[in-house]
Amino acid sequence: MTFVDKLQALAQTANRAIKQAKTLDELQELETRFLGRKGELTSLLRGLAEVDEKERPALGSLANEVKVKIESQIVQARVGLSQGEMQEQLHAEAEDVTEPGTRPPEGHLHLVTQAMREITEIFSRVGFVRTRYPEVDWDWYAFEALNMPKDHPARDEWETFFIDAPPSAKMGKVVLTPHTSNAQVREMEQKKFPIRIINMAKCYRRQMDITHVPMFHQFEGLYVDKNVGITHLRGIFDYFVKQFFGPTRQTRLRPFHFRFTEPSFEIDVSCGICDGTTKLPNGEKCRTCKSGWLELGGSGMVHPNVLKAAGLDPEEYSGFAFGWGVERSYMMKEGMQLDDIRTLYKNDLRFLQQF
Ligand code: FA5
């Protein structure tokens, strides 16, 4: 086989192999195999030394042509393969931006938060402004200023959590507010009349059973000005109850006793299940109320001693206050017969998603 024959055979083999290469890696291997320092063309060129000296230049340039040809075939094949690979990758990674997405599950506010927003809105329509007072407060504002001196037995009902913090000589110990009534004296001290506020906050008591939770919410209304009377109290209740519970619901004031109001009342609202009749349409006795009334919360005219504790003259100013549980009010609104109030805070979505 002459040198030329060998050269042509190499060119053909290289051409075929390059055409058949399927990946860029394979092409790289072929480049090394034919054109590399230890490649087939290089070793063929070594054979030039044995060829007649006169023929050498012509054969050398022929070998160079073959080399250039193989190089350009490899470059072309490389372009073709990399475009193909890119197309494949684009196809594999393509995203259809018009495809409808998967909706994340939609949540909603906790029912107690929903109730608080609704209550705030109802009172704001008649000029009551929502205020926020500390949920950790001095004994003075939670009890003493509310006409409950130290060690008074009335305090027992507010089974209080005390904070392990240094007491103040003037203000006493630090407590987790057992009710929202700490707002009363704090608000009156500012002496901006008329006072028409709704204080809504967390309350804490050492209680836990099917009708009590250790952390719950109350909303406290306070209206103080000159010449505020029980008729105002009555009017506001009627308004709230009809807005929150429905236009057919009635209110009732029942004499009660609180140390910080005089006179004091429990407020009842007519039962929405039996419409205050104690009987259901099927003749059975209503199990929600038993008496036709549901107890909503406490209220009364601000006690003169409380006005005095805030620096006001009871001869000049008067006012009413009320404090109701948000959780209980909401349950009455919905006609819910929750057999355990703690269900509200168990975070069981099967329950919460119903509201
Ligand atoms: C009070 O807390 C008075 N401060 C209310 C008040 C304010 C009277 C202003 C007069 C003037 P009482 O302890 O009854 O009152 O609580 C009021 C309401 O809070 C109750 O009717 C109930 O709805 C709710 N409540 C009380 N304790 C709990 C509890 N542990 N869990 C859930 N709700 C509670």
Side-chain angles (χ1 to χ4, degrees), residues 38 92 293:
K38 292 179 185 165
W293 295 95

Side-chain angles (χ1 to χ4, degrees), residues 37-83:
R37 270 199 303 128
K38 292 179 185 165
E40 291 184 20
L41 186 65
T42 319
S43 65
L44 194 63
L45 283 172
R46 276 195 209 108
L48 267 183
E50 285 148 34
V51 177
D52 188 74
E53 213 175 305
K54 283 186 210 137
E55 290 177 28
R56 247 183 246 161
L59 291 176
S61 83
L62 192 61
N64 200 42
E65 273 172 37
V66 168
K67 183 183 173 211
V68 170
K69 200 166 168 192
I70 295 175
E71 274 173 352
S72 89
Q73 283 170 348
I74 287 177
V75 169
Q76 269 182 21
R78 198 169 270 147
V79 170
L81 280 179
S82 43
Q83 275 176 354

